Amino acid sequence: MRGVASLTGTPRLTPEPRLRKNRRAGGGRHGVRAGAQPLATTCLSLLPLLLAVACGTVPRLDAPPPEAAESIAVLGIPNARFWPDRDRDALVREAMLMAERAAAAPSRSQDQSTDFLAISGGGDNGAFGAGLLVGWTAAGTRPEFRVVTGISAGALIAPFAFLGPSYDPALREVFTAVARDDILILRRLTFAVLFGEALADTGPLYRLIARHADQAMLDAIAAEYARGRLLLIGTVNLDLQRPAVWNIGAIAESRHPRALELFRSVLLASAAIPGAFPPVLIDVEVDGRRHQEMHVDGGAATQVFLYPPPVELRERTRAPLADGARTAWVIRNDRLDPEWSNTRRGLFTISRRALSTLIHFSGLNDVIRIFAATGRDGVAFRLAYIDSGFDVTRSGSFDPAYMRALFEHGQARARSGNPWVSAPPGFPAPYDGPR
């Protein structure tokens, strides 16, 4: 299982639409601009070559039969994860359970507002969201979130955001005190194409996750889950081509001997860009037979999520709060404006440019879906994203100087003013509750 992270072990080491001119295809004047995703798009643009020349695959156990997928209780925990594309009622039932726990919690009064936080993917651009949260704490206006969701880089931020300001120093360390070698090790291209499953080894990233996602963090998440708070992390089951939402609080509360291992694996899987990073194999059992599910970056299905749009909070909440008592905060670790480029004619430059465009608009459409659902349900919408005021270029993926600058930018925006808008650019705000 070379380069694969498995639950049985750690990874093995082997309104401002604006056109910005770019003098070189795929980069800014001096490097790669903020918001670009060079590692992800470059690796994905190699997929035609990988498919054409790959002569073998890395062995794995068979995937579970598709008809059994929804009934599998990972580690025997029935609510360890949900399938939001089909079984929405399971997620609603969990939300109802959390509402009952929150109402019974002695530290929470009935007239308090409810805040949701959704954190998008974005690779090294996750430094923006991390800095914004730290600056929000310094501003003294950061609420306690009832629900926190994360995808990819957002999944790495989400546990710190969920547990509150006391975890800000660790969050700062993760996004400002690491170098590329602390995230990944690039493999030789020929070996990766012919014998591997990814261009990079994420052993360093797993060790970084393990250093911070420890038993103390898991115990703290369990305590907050008991108070009626949800931490949800998104991955994609590549065998099923379906998004999976992992209920980290339920996993923590189970006290299962392998709960911590599963927690770390889910975080690693959510950031596992297909082609760039190895997938994560989750061991499961069906009718006494062992199988492995293959999970990758949640961004393969959605860049940011809150709750399934068909779920109407007005209709499904037993004790509905008044309009304005609920606010959805969305952090997009990327820009919203497109980037002009004089794209060169070539297989990889065209593929990379097209995939970068696909990722950009996929993320933008996810934000718009959240905006539409919250507007329908009387939930105030707040969005923060990398704005035009940040124009630092990076020398490559996970450039420490770039990440520190972006962290400081996000922190300064949250500390000195209001970084939030009430609608995506170009959209009127249908509901604008109290800020």
Side-chain angles (χ1 to χ4, degrees):
M1 238 186 295
R2 181 181 295 119
V4 178
S6 169
L7 189 53
T8 59
T10 59
R12 296 185 181 136
L13 296 180
T14 48
E16 65 162 0
R18 187 171 60 92
L19 295 179
R20 303 175 64 250
K21 290 190 176 182
N22 181 2
R23 297 194 175 187
R24 294 188 299 166
R29 175 189 277 181
H30 303 296
V32 184
R33 65 117 179 172
Q37 300 183 38
L39 182 62
T41 54
T42 298
C43 292
L44 288 172
S45 69
L46 291 171
L47 285 179
L49 175 64
L50 300 178
L51 293 173
V53 304
C55 62
T57 58
V58 181
R60 58 166 289 195
L61 297 180
D62 288 340
E67 62 274 11
E70 291 184 12
S71 62
I72 294 174
V74 182
L75 298 186
I77 308 167
N79 57 341
R81 56 129 178 248
F82 310 103
W83 304 100
D85 60 329
R86 294 186 188 175
D87 188 16
R88 302 183 189 99
D89 286 341
L91 191 52
V92 170
R93 288 192 298 271
E94 186 71 12
M96 296 304 165
L97 172 62
M98 293 299 99
E100 292 173 358
R101 288 187 175 187
S107 61
R108 185 176 181 87
S109 62
Q110 293 300 313
D111 60 350
Q112 286 183 292
S113 62
T114 298
D115 293 275
F116 310 98
L117 176 65
I119 313 173
S120 84
D124 51 10
N125 283 328
F128 170 75
L132 188 142
L133 284 162
V134 172
W136 202 355
T137 298
T141 56
R142 176 175 161 183
E144 178 183 84
F145 306 105
R146 177 79 68 84
V147 178
V148 176
T149 70
I151 287 279
S152 196
L156 302 181
I157 298 171
F160 300 101
F162 180 76
L163 292 175
S166 64
Y167 281 76
D168 283 359
L171 183 59
R172 176 188 292 272
E173 177 187 343
V174 169
F175 284 90
T176 65
V178 298
R180 190 176 72 171
D181 290 347
D182 297 312
I183 304 296
L184 56 89
I185 299 172
L186 291 177
R187 295 192 175 104
R188 291 183 180 275
L189 179 61
T190 302
F191 179 86
V193 168
L194 295 178
F195 306 108
E197 56 189 344
L199 297 180
D201 177 354
T202 50
L205 177 58
Y206 184 87
R207 289 191 291 271
L208 179 65
I209 289 172
R211 189 162 72 244
H212 293 280
D214 56 13
Q215 190 60 50
M217 172 178 274
L218 197 64
D219 291 342
I221 292 171
E224 294 305 311
Y225 181 71
R227 294 179 57 230
R229 300 179 61 221
L230 278 173
L231 173 59
L232 304 175
I233 301 298
T235 66
V236 167
N237 183 313
L238 208 55
D239 300 308
L240 294 174
Q241 289 189 315
R242 294 177 62 186
V245 172
W246 295 86
N247 186 2
I248 304 302
I251 294 170
E253 189 180 60
S254 74
R255 311 294 179 182
H256 193 283
R258 295 166 66 195
L260 179 59
E261 194 177 353
L262 178 58
F263 174 37
R264 292 169 172 172
S265 293
V266 168
L267 292 179
L268 185 64
S270 188
I273 302 166
F277 298 158
V280 173
L281 299 179
I282 304 295
D283 293 337
V284 296
E285 190 173 295
V286 178
D287 296 330
R289 182 182 175 190
R290 291 181 61 230
H291 296 268
Q292 287 180 321
E293 298 178 346
M294 181 179 286
H295 287 261
V296 298
D297 189 341
T302 181
Q303 301 296 309
V304 62
F305 73 99
L306 188 55
Y307 58 89
V311 175
E312 298 189 26
L313 291 188
R314 291 183 191 271
E315 303 295 330
R316 306 301 291 269
T317 304
R318 290 179 185 169
L321 296 169
D323 285 356
R326 291 176 287 199
T327 304
W329 308 89
V330 180
I331 299 176
R332 173 167 163 81
N333 291 306
D334 209 334
R335 294 185 182 270
L336 291 182
D337 56 314
E339 178 194 24
W340 181 89
S341 174
N342 183 26
T343 306
R344 296 171 181 171
R345 296 181 64 178
L347 172 63
F348 296 129
T349 55
I350 292 172
S351 297
R352 182 168 59 246
R353 182 66 174 167
L355 285 163
S356 177
T357 303
L358 183 152
I359 292 170
H360 173 83
F361 281 98
S362 172
L364 178 58
N365 289 334
D366 291 332
V367 169
I368 293 171
R369 274 192 289 272
I370 294 175
F371 171 68
T374 54
R376 176 200 64 200
D377 294 336
V379 178
F381 176 89
R382 299 287 177 263
L383 170 68
Y385 55 94
I386 301 175
D387 60 296
S388 58
F390 183 78
D391 201 25
V392 175
T393 55
R394 51 158 95 77
S395 61
S397 298
F398 303 103
D399 172 12
Y402 169 85
M403 293 177 67
R404 284 193 294 269
L406 186 54
F407 181 97
E408 295 299 333
H409 179 74
Q411 180 178 241
R413 285 194 62 200
R415 177 186 292 171
S416 62
N418 183 3
W420 309 97
V421 297
S422 300
F427 286 80
Y431 174 75
D432 192 19
R435 292 179 182 269

